[in-house]
Amino acid sequence: MTNQGAGDAFVLFERVQKSYDGETLVVKDLNLSIGKGEFLTMLGPSGSGKTTCLMMLAGFETATHGEIKLAGRPINNIPPHKRGIGMVFQNYALFPHMTIAENLAFPLEVRNMGKSEREEKVKRALDMVQMGTFGGRRPAQLSGGQQQRVALARALVFEPELVLMDEPLGALDKQLREHMQFEIKRIADGLGITVVYVTHDQTEALTMSDRVAVFNDGKIQQLAPPDVLYEEPENSFVAQFIGENNTLEGVVKEINNGVALVELDDGELIDCKPVNVSKPGERTRVSIRPERVEMNKARLQPGAHTLKAEVLEFIYMGDIFRTRLRVAGNEEFVVKTRNAPDQRRMQPGEQIEIGWLPTDCRALDA
Amino acid sequence: MSETTHSGPMLAADGMPLKRSLARALRRQKLRALALVAPLLIFVLLTFVTPIVSMLWRSVENQIVPETLPNTIVALQNWDPTAGELPGEDVYAAFATDLVAAVDAKIHTKLGTRLNYEMPGISSLFRSTGRDVKKWNLETDGPFKEKFIESDKDWGDIDVWKTFKRYSGNYTSGYFLNAVDMENTATGVQLRPEDQRIYATLFIRTMWMSLLITGSCLLLGYPVAWILANLRASTANVLMILVLLPFWTSLLVRTSAWKVLLQQQGVINDLLVWVGLVDDGNRLVMINNQFGTIIAMTHILLPFMILPLYSVMKTVPPSYLRAAKSLGATNWTAFWRVYFPQSVPGIGAGSILVFILAIGYYITPELVGGTQGVFISNRIAFHISTSLNWGLAAALGTILLAAVLLLYYVYDKIVGIDNVKLG
């Protein structure tokens, strides 16, 4: 777990625990530091504790144990309205009885800002999300994407340094979601604000974040930039949760010079990169990304080792081909190949040979 | 699909206009829907619309006078009541004819009762003379003017005949005038003497106390509804049963329970005396007055306020309050600016419900209202079952109905009836 520069962290979770019923911990001993201007995403399946962490930071839940610091100041006992943290909610939470402009003016009004200054800021915030002409409408008259923009503008209009977003794009359709991802990223970078973003959509997390904290079972499983997370998952959960992943189960035979020899369950021996296996005899899950598997023998690089496989299914997906294989007893082994002119389309039942580089396959915990 | 290039109505595949084709296709569905609601529709027509129409009718109907005294009415047309002289023999003779017929049909006492509402004393006049008239011979016993005055000297009172003439039409405004403490006297429409005015006071008291009851229901019910709407579902259900529990207890039992609690030798007074807050000789009077009525009715009508409030509050997501707080609003500002406006439809629905139930309430004011805490409905019930003046009861009821409709209209103008939600 990285904990870079805890001294100058903007947001700091120190040994934070949370329990709702006094019997089970929803958040277990969380340590996390977020730098100023960073875009950090909390990613995880539902019930993994990520939203609870966000709510503790916003002040809507109290930590059962531990301390949360904002800009060096403990905020455990500061009520939400004094924290000055902007927040975008999953269902937008735009006040239905106010117009868009009134919604945006609300945080400025409760800060006793003058009318002219208020109008000026509201206008600027609306222009920023390209909703300048919608000030007089009611939330119900806007589409989901427009409401999302307004919710974003409202969370930013009072110029908070930290903005929390709780699955803000969950209700949008795919195309709009992708568009909004870039838009949020652009605005956040432009304003230099710190963003803590909660999502269960790994594509969203990879696209937008500076760093991603993968949550499971109340713990951070891995905290890393998106590329590291994808290419060097530290355990089976992260490998499975981020992107598509092939798993082969086996037992570690020996570990030498950073290479682990694994005997798969059908007796096949392969070389892997040991990640969190330590000694021979341990059970392991070997993880290989579908796009790192080569089905064309001519293109195999030196040092790659090969395995026999049977084609079970071939799916044409436009830009890629998705081929499901039986490899070492695993019938869910997927290979993704680019739709190139020389790429053959496999037929179910074909017996082929596949291969990969030992550095692309990682031996993880079982 | 028909061609869209030609002008004129869109045609279905068989050349029939599309609209007619659609109507035909939907006719079966409409008939079935109508058949399904028919039992309720008939029930409502019979038990709701008909009584209301009949009530409206009774409040102005006066046919008993022209039907019982047809000849007298004709004869009275030539009589000038302002001249200050009794009508001539022709009127008395016509009246004798009508009265003999009425006595034979045994409806003269009914007419007496009817006219007694307008001029006290006429009822007994009819009853006593009715006995004498049986012995009269219409052919030979004239002149009747003397015979009537001989039978009862009040037949020589010009006011009796003025009343006959004034109430000779098929319809009358008499009941309505009576219902607003006015009367149609020889000198025109005017307010009744001060000691006979009761209905205006009762109407105002009914409205005012209903408003108080609605207000106290809102004050007590709002926090309860809020707690119910924000608790976990399992806990909320248990509490909801407590709210609904009074519904399962008889209204009479609940009202009587308040008698036990509030009376001068009751639980609360005993407690206060025991604690020493109240002197034994000066026990508080909390029942058989307006206070008792307000307490008991607030208790009884409270669920009608809580339920619509609860179902509206249930639809307000908690994230609104959180959003407001994250934007910098204090708890109070967040509640007042964000939550409260969204609960207004529930307040509207609950208040209308409680208010309308309250102004028509009868049993509780009757039991705990004493003389100062009774409502207009108690007076209506009195006229329906005791004084049997149904016309006046109908007029009072009609005024009450009109008042409710008027308030409903005002509410619609101020708040908007779309702004009422039961959930």
Side-chain angles (χ1 to χ4, degrees):
Chain A
M1 215 175 285
T2 34
N3 202 346
Q4 46 175 296
D8 57 284
F10 185 55
V11 178
L12 190 64
F13 285 85
E14 273 179 340
R15 312 215 58 178
V16 172
Q17 291 183 317
K18 173 73 185 176
S19 173
Y20 286 106
D21 54 6
E23 284 167 16
T24 49
L25 284 171
V26 184
V27 175
K28 299 169 184 166
D29 197 21
L30 179 83
N31 292 288
L32 174 64
S33 87
I34 303 167
K36 203 163 168 58
E38 191 178 10
F39 197 119
L40 182 123
T41 299
M42 295 176 170
L43 174 67
S46 48
S48 60
K50 56 188 193 311
T51 300
T52 305
C53 285
L54 196 75
M55 289 303 164
M56 286 194 286
L57 184 52
F60 299 126
E61 298 288 354
T62 49
T64 313
H65 174 83
E67 200 148 48
I68 303 171
K69 286 181 179 166
L70 179 63
R73 208 158 50 109
I75 55 171
N76 286 25
N77 293 320
I78 298 179
H81 67 271
K82 288 193 181 149
R83 296 193 182 189
I85 300 175
M87 184 146 183
V88 182
F89 291 82
Q90 191 171 9
N91 57 2
Y92 319 134
L94 296 177
F95 308 139
H97 58 292
M98 300 185 190
T99 64
I100 299 307
E102 285 165 351
N103 261 284
L104 262 75
F106 184 82
L108 307 176
E109 248 173 81
V110 298
R111 287 175 170 75
N112 297 319
M113 194 176 278
K115 193 164 191 280
S116 55
E117 197 184 351
R118 223 156 59 197
E119 280 169 1
E120 161 78 30
K121 289 204 174 194
V122 168
K123 191 180 172 319
R124 214 184 316 142
L126 280 178
D127 286 340
M128 182 178 67
V129 293
Q130 288 133 42
M131 293 287 294
T133 54
F134 291 86
R137 302 231 193 144
R138 300 251 170 194
Q141 293 168 306
L142 303 185
S143 70
Q146 290 170 330
Q147 292 189 30
Q148 181 53 59
R149 284 162 193 270
V150 174
L152 184 63
R154 190 179 64 176
L156 295 171
V157 70
F158 60 100
E159 291 161 13
E161 292 185 305
L162 174 63
V163 175
L164 313 182
M165 303 194 189
D166 183 13
E167 309 210 14
L169 306 180
L172 302 183
D173 60 61
K174 186 166 178 288
Q175 220 172 347
L176 203 52
R177 195 158 63 218
E178 281 167 6
H179 179 76
M180 283 304 293
Q181 286 168 13
F182 293 116
E183 188 122 345
I184 290 175
K185 181 73 178 150
R186 178 181 63 80
I187 290 170
D189 287 349
L191 295 173
I193 48 173
T194 310
V195 178
V196 179
Y197 192 101
V198 161
T199 183
H200 62 259
D201 180 341
Q202 39 122 343
T203 326
E204 211 165 280
L206 296 181
T207 315
M208 305 172 76
S209 324
D210 296 326
R211 280 193 303 160
V212 179
V214 181
F215 275 71
N216 190 40
D217 195 22
K219 277 190 271 198
I220 295 183
Q221 303 290 330
Q222 188 169 0
L223 175 65
D227 52 341
V228 176
L229 204 63
Y230 186 81
E231 283 166 33
E232 297 165 24
E234 280 174 3
N235 56 41
S236 288
F237 177 80
V238 177
Q240 285 292 345
F241 196 74
I242 307 288
E244 232 181 324
N245 183 54
N246 291 310
T247 310
L248 298 172
E249 298 204 15
V251 179
V252 180
K253 280 283 156 198
E254 53 188 74
I255 302 178
N256 278 324
N257 305 326
V259 177
L261 183 69
V262 174
E263 183 183 359
L264 299 181
D265 285 352
D266 69 337
E268 196 95 43
L269 286 167
I270 56 168
D271 285 339
C272 307
K273 191 175 174 190
V275 179
N276 53 0
V277 287
S278 50
K279 56 184 188 295
E282 230 178 311
R283 276 202 72 79
T284 180
R285 277 185 185 165
V286 177
S287 134
I288 311 124
R289 294 288 180 198
E291 68 277 9
R292 296 293 169 97
V293 180
E294 186 54 72
M295 294 198 293
N296 189 339
K297 260 186 122 176
R299 286 209 219 142
L300 271 180
Q301 293 184 16
H305 62 77
T306 57
L307 251 74
K308 285 197 173 27
E310 184 191 344
V311 177
L312 295 176
E313 194 178 13
F314 174 85
I315 299 170
Y316 177 84
M317 295 178 75
D319 54 345
I320 56 165
F321 300 154
R322 195 165 185 278
T323 317
R324 190 159 65 86
L325 307 170
R326 180 187 293 129
V327 177
N330 180 357
E331 297 196 346
E332 298 296 329
F333 197 98
V334 171
V335 178
K336 281 186 191 163
T337 44
R338 203 161 58 85
N339 183 356
D342 60 335
Q343 190 65 54
R344 211 165 60 77
R345 301 185 186 184
M346 302 292 178
Q347 296 297 321
E350 261 185 83
Q351 301 289 333
I352 57 166
E353 265 189 44
I354 56 168
W356 59 77
L357 287 173
T359 47
D360 284 335
C361 84
R362 301 165 65 81
L364 303 170
D365 53 305
Chain B
M1 274 303 208
S2 70
E3 299 271 317
T4 49
T5 46
H6 70 84
S7 58
M10 189 83 97
L11 298 183
D14 59 356
M16 188 191 283
L18 194 58
K19 274 201 173 141
R20 207 192 313 155
S21 187
L22 180 69
R24 177 170 295 178
L26 290 179
R27 194 174 304 145
R28 261 185 79 88
Q29 285 183 30
K30 280 184 185 162
L31 278 176
R32 189 163 50 192
L34 194 66
L36 282 171
V37 298
L40 181 64
L41 196 66
I42 293 165
F43 181 78
V44 165
L45 278 176
L46 284 178
T47 62
F48 191 69
V49 178
T50 320
I52 285 182
V53 171
S54 133
M55 181 188 80
L56 292 174
W57 169 248
R58 265 179 200 283
S59 65
V60 292
E61 181 258 357
N62 191 45
Q63 278 167 346
I64 185 165
V65 182
E67 273 173 13
T68 321
L69 304 175
N71 299 312
T72 319
I73 302 300
V74 174
L76 273 171
Q77 274 170 2
N78 299 322
W79 176 62
D80 177 14
T82 54
E85 280 177 28
L86 282 173
E89 170 60 21
D90 57 330
V91 172
Y92 282 93
F95 181 58
T97 317
D98 288 338
L99 195 57
V100 168
V103 169
D104 281 347
K106 292 190 171 122
I107 53 172
H108 66 293
T109 50
K110 273 193 194 161
L111 179 67
T113 311
R114 160 69 190 100
L115 289 170
N116 200 55
Y117 301 144
E118 313 300 343
M119 186 179 169
I122 289 192
S123 182
S124 57
L125 200 55
F126 267 87
R127 223 174 299 122
S128 64
T129 309
R131 285 191 289 271
D132 297 344
V133 163
K134 282 179 196 161
K135 301 167 215 144
W136 294 359
N137 185 333
L138 286 175
E139 302 294 323
T140 56
D141 281 354
F144 289 100
K145 189 170 181 175
E146 281 73 29
K147 279 203 81 97
F148 270 111
I149 295 173
E150 186 189 316
S151 164
D152 192 317
K153 65 172 170 35
D154 280 350
W155 289 116
D157 182 354
I158 191 166
D159 282 343
V160 171
W161 298 98
K162 282 182 181 172
T163 306
F164 279 15
K165 191 169 167 77
R166 218 166 27 243
Y167 293 99
S168 59
N170 276 318
Y171 303 100
T172 175
S173 58
Y175 296 125
F176 274 103
L177 289 174
N178 196 349
V180 291
D181 290 339
M182 294 168 96
E183 59 187 342
N184 190 356
T185 59
T187 51
V189 175
Q190 61 186 40
L191 274 174
R192 280 176 186 276
E194 211 153 319
D195 56 338
Q196 289 178 28
R197 293 178 205 164
I198 50 170
Y199 298 114
T201 321
L202 271 177
F203 271 117
I204 291 167
R205 182 198 289 162
T206 304
M207 294 285 162
W208 169 239
M209 282 177 62
S210 298
L211 270 179
L212 274 180
I213 290 161
T214 310
S216 48
C217 276
L218 182 61
L219 278 181
L220 293 174
Y222 198 94
V224 176
W226 191 85
I227 287 172
L228 283 174
N230 286 285
L231 278 177
R232 279 188 301 130
S234 53
T235 325
N237 283 340
V238 174
L239 288 181
M240 185 53 92
I241 288 174
L242 293 182
V243 171
L244 293 176
L245 204 60
F247 272 141
W248 304 340
T249 322
S250 154
L251 188 67
L252 276 171
V253 172
R254 279 181 283 160
T255 307
S256 311
W258 279 113
K259 268 190 131 85
V260 172
L261 282 172
L262 295 177
Q263 61 186 323
Q264 282 197 288
Q265 300 301 322
V267 176
I268 291 177
N269 264 315
D270 282 350
L271 200 70
L272 289 175
V273 169
W274 182 71
V275 172
L277 283 173
V278 169
D279 183 51
D280 198 16
N282 289 319
R283 287 177 171 246
L284 300 176
V285 183
M286 292 185 291
I287 199 90
N288 296 330
N289 57 13
Q290 301 195 357
F291 182 79
T293 308
I294 289 171
I295 295 264
M297 281 184 64
T298 299
H299 168 234
I300 284 158
L301 294 176
L302 197 53
F304 294 100
M305 181 64 86
I306 293 177
L307 291 178
L309 273 176
Y310 167 74
S311 60
V312 167
M313 286 177 176
K314 201 74 189 153
T315 63
V316 180
S319 64
Y320 286 140
L321 270 183
R322 289 185 161 183
K325 285 184 208 167
S326 83
L327 293 170
T330 58
N331 285 340
W332 169 251
T333 315
F335 166 77
W336 183 246
R337 295 277 317 272
V338 174
Y339 196 86
F340 181 78
Q342 296 188 63
S343 65
V344 164
I347 296 177
S351 301
I352 288 187
L353 202 59
V354 169
F355 185 79
I356 288 178
L357 282 172
I359 60 173
Y361 231 69
Y362 161 71
I363 298 180
T364 307
E366 182 73 27
L367 289 177
V368 301
T371 49
Q372 288 307 301
V374 293
F375 280 16
I376 192 71
S377 45
N378 300 97
R379 202 66 198 164
I380 295 177
F382 167 77
H383 285 305
I384 291 276
S385 57
T386 309
S387 84
L388 298 181
N389 187 354
W390 285 23
L392 180 56
L396 290 169
T398 306
I399 291 174
L400 198 58
L401 181 66
V404 170
L405 292 178
L406 181 72
L407 282 168
Y408 197 71
Y409 174 80
V410 170
Y411 183 89
D412 185 32
K413 282 289 150 201
I414 297 172
V415 186
I417 219 71
D418 311 338
N419 227 341
V420 167
K421 267 199 306 191
L422 287 168

